Amino acid sequence: MSSHREAPEISQDPVADNTDCYAFVSPDKPDTVTIITNYVPLEDPPGGPNFFEFGEDVRYSIYVDNDGDGKPEIEYQFRFKTRLRNPDTFLYNTGQITALNSQTWNRRQFYEVTKVNHKRGKSKVLGSDLASPPCNIGPRSTPNYPKLANAAVHRLDSGERVFAGQRNEGFFVDLGSIFDLGDLRPLQNLHLIATSPAMGVDATATLNVHTIAIQIPIKKLTRDGSVPSDAMSAKAVLGIWGAASRRKTRVLDKANDERAQSGPWVQVSRLGNPLFNEVIVPMGEKDKWNAVHPAGDKSFAKYVEHPELAKLLPVLYPGVFPRLAKLKAKRADLVAILLTGIPKGIVPGFQNYTGSVLADMMRLNVAIPPTKSKPSPLGLLGGDAAGFPNGRRVFDDVVNIELQAVAGLTYPLVNPDYKPDDAASALTQGLTPGKNRYQSAFPYLGTPHNGFDTPSGPKG
Amino acid sequence: MENLSRRKLLASAGVATGAAAIAAAPSVAQAALDHPEATDPSGPPPEETIVAYVRDIKRNEVTVMSGTGEVTYRDPVLVKRLVKAAPSGSTRK
C-alpha cells in the first residue's frame, strides 16, 4: 500500500497511521494548494457500531518546508475531541442523521486547527469546534451523505478551507497480488512461479479512509509570500509531508476511561512520497523512519540508491529485465525523484529541486498550473508536469509510476546511455479506478462507501 | 522542548508547600521520607500528570515529564528511593 500498515509499530495503531499524502495546485482554485493526509487504513464501510474516527490523543500535522532544508517552516496541527450525547445506548445514531447537529447522532467529533510558524516560533489557533461529518452508515441513517459532507467543509477566517472526516479511499492497488511475491497480474505468466495472466484486482475499491484536507492560498506557503509564476525559480517549490504524534507516556488506571498523558509529543507516523517507507525502507528500519523528520533521511539514502525491489524484479521475472539486472550504479534518478527533487535541465521546462539536503518530501512546484484537459495519471512520466512526482494528485497512479521508475525507466535521465528493458515501460498493475472515487471539488476524494450497500451483493 | 526546571516542576505538582514543611521540621520529614507508606490511589489520575521513570540505574538517571516538557536528571538519591520503592519482581539492572 502507499503507506497503509507499512511498518510494524504503526500497523497496530490505525488512528495514527498516515496512509497517503497528496499535494497539488487546486484545479478549481489555482491560487491555492490542496494538501490531503489520510489516516485509518482499510476501513470496511459496515464497521459499526463503533464506526471509524480520528484519535483524540493523536496530534495530526501537515508540514511545509519552503527553503529546502528538510525542516518545516509552517505546520498545521489538527486535534480532535469526541462528544457523546447519550452514553446509555450502544448505538452510533438513534435515528436519521440529516444535519451535523442532528440530535439522533450520538457520537460526534470536533476539531481544532492550529498554525505553527516554526521560523518565528509562534502558533495561532485558526479554528475551533469544527465539526467532522459522520461515517457513511447507510440509506436509513445517512440518507443524504453529500449534504453532510459539504456542511463539514469549513472556511477559516484566515483564508484556508478545511475538511476532516471519512472519504472514499483514493489509492488503488492490486494489494493481494503485489505482496504475493511481487506478482503483477497482467504479467504473472512471466513470473518465476507462473500462472495464467489475469486482470488486476483493485483491493481498495470498496474501502474508506479518514481524510484531513486543507486548501491554503499559495502566498501563505512560499518563503517570500509571493505567488510564483516562474517554474524555474527555487521559491516555487514546496516540500510537503504529513505526520502523526502521540504523547510520550499514557497511564491507564483501573479502567480505560481513567487515563493520563504526559511528556513531549513523539512522532509515530509520517509520509511524504508514496511507498517510500513501504517498499524502500527495510523492515528493521521502518519504525525508526516513522519517528524522524525528513531532514534526517540521509541515513536512508542507501536504500534509494540501491532499492531492493530493483534487485528482485529480474529474479522474479527471469529474462524480462536483463538490463536492470546489470545496473549496479547508484540510482541517482530515484534519489532525485524522492530525496532532492528533479533539478532544472533534466526535464524541459520543469524542476522541483529543493537543494542537496536528502529528505523524503512531496515536492510541489506551485508555478506549474494544473492540467485541466485530460491529465495523465502517469504524471511526469506521462508528460503531465502537474502530476506526481510534482506533488501528487488524488488520481495519480503512483504504483505504476514508481514500479516503472524502479524498473529503470527513469535511469536514462541521469545516464542517457542506459537503455531500459522493454518491460520497464510495460510494467503495470493493470488497474483503472472507478469514477466515483474522486470528485472535482474540495476535498477531491469521493463520497465514502456506505456500510449498507458495500460490499454490494452476496459474497461467496 | 519546553523549559522545565525542577522548581517549576515541584510547584506545578503542588509540592512546594510540602517542601517548606520539611524544611521547618526536618526530623519528622526525614522519618516520613525514609518510610514511604504504600496506599491505594485515592482517585483517578488527572488528565495531565507528572510521570517519572528511572532511565538508567547505573548512571542514576531519572526522567521527569510534565505537560509537554521532559527533563532527565542525574539524582542518585531519587533513583535509590525509586528503586527501593519499586514492587518486587520489577526489573533492576
Side-chain angles (χ1 to χ4, degrees):
Chain A
M1 307 289 276
S2 176
S3 186
H4 302 56
R5 299 171 45 79
E6 92 289 353
E9 282 289 332
I10 200 63
S11 69
Q12 299 176 42
D13 189 4
V15 296
D17 186 353
N18 187 345
T19 64
D20 275 290
C21 178
Y22 303 93
F24 51 90
V25 177
S26 314
D28 52 341
K29 222 170 175 309
D31 59 341
T32 68
V33 164
T34 295
I35 303 172
I36 300 170
T37 56
N38 285 347
Y39 291 87
V40 196
L42 310 175
E43 291 181 11
D44 202 12
N50 294 294
F51 286 94
F52 302 95
E53 59 189 22
F54 292 102
E56 284 190 301
D57 48 2
V58 177
R59 187 181 72 189
Y60 301 92
S61 297
I62 287 172
Y63 292 108
V64 179
D65 167 24
N66 60 26
D67 62 7
D69 61 0
K71 300 172 184 172
E73 277 66 54
I74 298 163
E75 176 186 2
Y76 287 92
Q77 295 177 350
F78 297 76
R79 296 290 314 278
F80 291 82
K81 285 285 183 190
T82 306
R83 293 182 196 153
L84 195 60
R85 285 192 194 276
N86 178 8
D88 297 324
T89 175
F90 72 92
L91 292 166
Y92 182 80
N93 58 303
T94 54
Q96 287 198 328
I97 304 172
T98 55
L100 295 181
N101 61 356
S102 282
Q103 293 297 309
T104 53
W105 181 16
N106 194 29
R107 190 175 172 92
R108 300 167 299 152
Q109 284 205 306
F110 299 84
Y111 62 101
E112 181 175 275
V113 184
T114 301
K115 182 178 181 180
V116 182
N117 186 321
H118 286 278
K119 208 166 184 177
R120 296 179 187 166
K122 292 183 176 177
S123 64
K124 184 180 181 184
V125 175
L126 302 184
S128 298
D129 223 23
L130 304 165
S132 289
C135 286
N136 196 359
I137 301 165
R140 290 162 195 78
S141 295
T142 46
N144 189 346
Y145 195 84
K147 180 187 165 191
L148 294 169
N150 288 338
V153 173
H154 304 285
R155 291 179 184 276
L156 305 179
D157 291 342
S158 48
E160 295 89 344
R161 279 203 297 180
V162 291
F163 171 90
Q166 192 178 46
R167 299 312 288 167
N168 198 310
E169 171 61 271
F171 177 69
F172 51 101
V173 62
D174 190 346
L175 189 63
S177 180
I178 281 181
F179 286 124
D180 185 16
L181 289 179
D183 180 39
L184 298 163
R185 252 183 260 259
L187 308 175
Q188 60 193 359
N189 57 315
L190 304 175
H191 194 279
L192 185 66
I193 305 169
T195 52
S196 300
M199 293 300 291
V201 174
D202 187 348
T204 58
T206 59
L207 300 177
N208 295 325
V209 74
H210 262 58
T211 290
I212 295 173
I214 185 166
Q215 194 167 71
I216 311 161
I218 289 173
K219 62 185 179 186
K220 286 181 174 289
L221 298 176
T222 50
R223 66 179 76 163
D224 61 356
S226 67
V227 180
S229 56
D230 177 9
M232 293 299 113
S233 169
K235 66 185 180 186
V237 183
L238 303 173
I240 295 164
W241 69 100
S245 304
R246 287 186 173 281
R247 301 292 289 281
K248 189 163 184 176
T249 64
R250 178 180 169 195
V251 179
L252 301 180
D253 197 357
K254 290 187 178 177
N256 278 339
D257 60 349
E258 292 182 6
R259 59 184 64 175
Q261 299 182 70
S262 191
W265 290 98
V266 178
Q267 184 177 295
V268 296
S269 178
R270 70 153 160 145
L271 182 58
N273 284 299
L275 301 162
F276 192 99
N277 202 24
E278 180 101 12
V279 299
I280 298 286
V281 180
M283 191 77 79
E285 298 255 43
K286 286 177 185 291
D287 293 334
K288 177 185 169 190
W289 186 89
N290 263 333
V292 299
H293 287 296
D297 281 343
K298 186 178 178 182
S299 64
F300 301 101
K302 57 182 177 287
Y303 305 123
V304 179
E305 292 166 344
H306 300 284
E308 184 181 8
L309 183 58
K311 299 171 195 165
L312 285 173
L313 283 172
V315 177
L316 294 172
Y317 294 88
V320 178
F321 298 98
R323 296 179 188 125
L324 181 64
K326 291 177 185 170
L327 179 54
K328 306 297 181 190
K330 289 182 180 178
R331 295 296 302 274
D333 56 325
L334 300 179
V335 171
I337 291 169
L338 298 173
L339 292 176
T340 66
I342 299 171
K344 56 179 80 169
I346 303 290
V347 178
F350 176 77
Q351 62 90 24
N352 64 351
Y353 185 65
T354 52
S356 59
V357 175
L358 301 175
D360 171 46
M361 303 186 290
M362 186 81 69
R363 289 172 173 82
L364 176 64
N365 186 325
V366 297
I368 304 283
T371 302
K372 294 190 175 177
S373 177
K374 296 183 179 176
S376 171
L378 289 178
L380 202 57
L381 279 187
D384 182 356
F388 184 79
N390 183 31
R392 179 187 173 191
R393 300 167 297 195
V394 289
F395 53 80
D396 282 340
D397 191 346
V398 292
V399 174
N400 269 7
I401 294 169
E402 291 194 357
L403 272 174
Q404 294 183 2
V406 168
L409 194 64
T410 52
Y411 191 63
L413 293 174
V414 296
N415 182 356
D417 294 334
Y418 179 80
K419 183 172 167 47
D421 296 301
D422 292 340
S425 59
L427 211 53
T428 175
Q429 55 172 348
L431 296 178
T432 303
K435 63 179 181 180
N436 293 329
R437 209 140 183 175
Y438 313 110
Q439 61 187 38
S440 58
F442 185 82
Y444 301 102
L445 292 171
T447 298
H449 303 280
N450 76 60
F452 179 80
D453 293 310
T454 312
S456 57
K459 292 184 88 173
Chain B
M1 186 176 69
E2 290 176 8
N3 185 29
L4 181 71
S5 69
R6 189 167 187 166
R7 184 185 299 275
K8 188 177 170 186
L9 182 71
L10 291 171
S12 69
V15 181
T17 307
I22 289 170
S27 58
V28 175
Q30 191 61 47
L33 286 171
D34 284 345
H35 300 285
E37 181 187 358
T39 180
D40 290 330
S42 56
E47 192 173 323
E48 291 277 348
T49 190
I50 294 174
V51 174
Y53 68 94
V54 177
R55 191 181 191 93
D56 191 317
I57 292 177
K58 290 177 182 171
R59 293 178 182 169
N60 293 311
E61 287 179 358
V62 60
T63 297
V64 185
M65 288 170 276
S66 177
T68 56
E70 175 187 57
V71 178
T72 298
Y73 297 101
R74 185 166 292 120
D75 188 333
V77 175
L78 181 56
V79 169
K80 189 177 179 182
R81 286 186 57 77
L82 288 169
V83 170
K84 188 177 175 184
S88 59
S90 61
T91 302
R92 298 180 188 179
K93 291 181 181 175

